[in-house]
Amino acid sequence: IDSEMNIVIGYSTQIMEKDKPEGLLCNFVADLSLEECKKYYNPDDNKNIDMCLLNYGGLRAPLPKGKITVRNIFELMPFENEFFVATLKGEDCHEMFNYIAEAKGEPISGFTLEIKDSTAYNISINNQPFCVDSTYKILTSDYLINGGDRMFFFSKAIDIDTINLKIRDVIMNYIIEKNKDSIKISSKLDNRISVS
């Protein structure tokens, strides 16, 4: 097992650590999760995932610059969490955005928001203004779907789908696929969550 943990699966151009309101590691994991899960999600309504929300506390270790091993990914994501897709009404999404504002940031992808006085403002989803009268699909984990980290707004989901993918496997496979194409992984800060 130890030798398997030391297998190099890819390379990173930088150290990635989590931070708030956004961090290189938060953005990297949320972005790849959304990108990869969209490929495997086949809903009856043909409407794909709008955005991703994970939890800051779920990212347990940074990724180093240089070699990335299997061990690094297990340290980053030691849990057996799986991806789920929750469909929320706009008003319940608003509760989610304010949760993120009160938490001063969480790992997100597919949307941007500003935080002022622990409240979310100027929310944009896929470069479109947030509409409270719409419904949205949020990629998240089974832990959060079940109210983990007090994300109780997911209990109001009007639909929940499983993708049958473990978060750790998606991260690992993403890095392996990039490495096959001789691409080093990287991340950037893009002001997806700003504090005013």
Side-chain angles (χ1 to χ4, degrees):
I1 292 174
D2 204 48
S3 61
E4 286 180 13
M5 284 290 179
N6 292 329
I7 292 171
V8 177
I9 59 170
Y11 297 84
S12 176
T13 63
Q14 67 210 120
I15 295 171
M16 294 188 209
E17 296 181 307
K18 64 181 185 178
D19 201 0
K20 290 190 175 189
E22 63 173 324
L24 292 175
L25 186 65
C26 301
N27 290 2
F28 173 71
V29 174
D31 284 347
L32 79 85
S33 297
L34 185 58
E35 179 184 332
E36 294 301 302
C37 288
K38 278 185 174 182
K39 298 175 187 175
Y40 295 96
Y41 182 55
N42 293 303
D44 294 334
D45 62 4
N46 292 319
K47 186 178 183 294
N48 215 321
I49 305 162
D50 295 296
M51 51 188 147
C52 174
L53 169 62
L54 299 173
N55 62 318
Y56 187 82
L59 306 178
R60 290 304 177 104
L63 289 177
K65 181 179 179 179
K67 293 177 182 177
I68 303 292
T69 64
V70 173
R71 185 186 310 279
N72 291 138
I73 307 305
F74 271 80
E75 289 172 347
L76 163 64
M77 184 61 61
F79 315 107
E80 299 296 316
N81 292 126
E82 293 189 7
F83 281 115
F84 278 77
V85 178
T87 302
L88 291 182
K89 292 178 181 176
E91 62 201 56
D92 299 319
C93 287
H94 209 266
E95 188 179 331
M96 176 182 80
F97 298 137
N98 282 327
Y99 173 97
I100 295 166
E102 287 176 17
K104 297 180 173 57
E106 294 284 355
I108 67 166
S109 183
F111 66 104
T112 60
L113 59 84
E114 294 177 20
I115 300 172
K116 186 176 182 181
D117 300 326
S118 297
T119 304
Y121 289 93
N122 201 15
I123 302 154
S124 181
I125 298 164
N126 296 314
N127 299 313
Q128 298 293 319
F130 165 63
C131 177
V132 75
D133 296 322
S134 296
T135 59
Y136 294 95
K137 292 189 177 186
I138 300 100
L139 178 71
T140 190
S141 70
D142 51 352
Y143 171 69
L144 299 179
I145 282 279
N146 292 314
D149 282 12
R150 302 181 67 80
M151 293 196 191
F152 301 134
F153 43 84
F154 281 125
S155 67
K156 300 173 184 177
I158 54 178
D159 197 20
I160 295 175
D161 297 322
T162 181
I163 307 183
N164 293 314
L165 290 172
K166 286 185 181 176
I167 299 176
R168 183 173 57 232
D169 292 346
V170 170
I171 298 170
M172 199 153 358
N173 290 336
Y174 176 87
I175 296 171
I176 289 169
E177 288 303 312
K178 290 294 181 189
N179 192 50
K180 283 180 185 174
D181 296 328
S182 301
I183 299 171
K184 294 181 179 180
I185 60 169
S186 62
S187 182
K188 65 181 188 296
L189 304 178
D190 55 14
N191 230 29
R192 64 188 64 183
I193 303 177
S194 57
V195 181
S196 56

